[in-house]
Amino acid sequence: MLVTESFKDVPTKHGGDMRIFLFHPSIPNYPKATFPGVVVFSEIYQGDNRPVQRFARQIAGHGYVVAAPSSYHEFTSSEPLAYDGPGTDAGNKWKIEKQLSAYDEDATLSIDTLVGLETCNGRIGATGMCLGGHLAFRCAFDKRIRAAVCYFATDIHSATLAKGKSDDSLKRVKDIKGELTMIFGKKDTHVDAAGRDLIRKTLHEAGTSFSFYEVAWAQHAFIRDELSKGRYDPAIAGICFEMLLELFGRTLSSGLGEREGGDEEPEDVC
């Protein structure tokens, strides 16, 4: 599909207007076509940086209206941070200066923006990488989120997101009503084996519907296709994108209706 791009500045209670970048599928001769929506959260470099642009365009090209919010509107403009030392330092600094409630407000406003579009059918998913993976996880606390794909989500296992470095993400997993896909590299130094085990165990015990993937040789940020310090793996990134399309296609695009009941126990047969 063709993709058009625009943005919307949305006032926030926590400070500044949040710029939401919109990536919209377009089908010639079908001006009234409607699509599911997906919120795409960036890593610490925020908003409309080039890797996130390309990721959002890919998703939009498969028939989803994408909203990509800029996370640091309390501190700076919507311009993306540079992939260098100062940009990294600023992103890591603001990540733990921003209020947890402000992150959640950003998610709510992003969903509201999608739902408010005449071209969005109201079925919403979320995804993101690194910090954005954690924000997609928290976005799923909103009952309007039917599915979320979280790439190498940081700080969930350590509960160190936002001001005070004391988030409640793992404590709130029972608030997640949609389906999750969690993706990590086994060589990820930001979320070690014990941290990944804790996330998986907590999701199991909460009865969450989820898939959990660990790529044997992948490091942190292995889907980021620019300045990834030698970590970008296009083959694995492509496979993970197919996982995203499968989940969103099944939960957002197929018109299943509301989910009922829980996961059934598998039949024990050969």
Side-chain angles (χ1 to χ4, degrees), residues 40-54:
V40 171
F41 294 97
S42 175
E43 5 84 301
I44 61 168
Y45 302 96
Q46 87 152 0
D48 198 30
N49 65 62
R50 288 187 295 269
V52 172
Q53 278 182 353
R54 291 189 285 269

Side-chain angles (χ1 to χ4, degrees), residues 17 37 43 78 84 116-117 150-151 192 219 233-234 258 267:
D17 288 351
E43 5 84 301
S78 61
D84 58 16
L117 297 174
C150 307
Y151 289 89
D192 61 13
Q219 299 183 50
D233 188 322
E258 295 300 321
E267 186 179 0

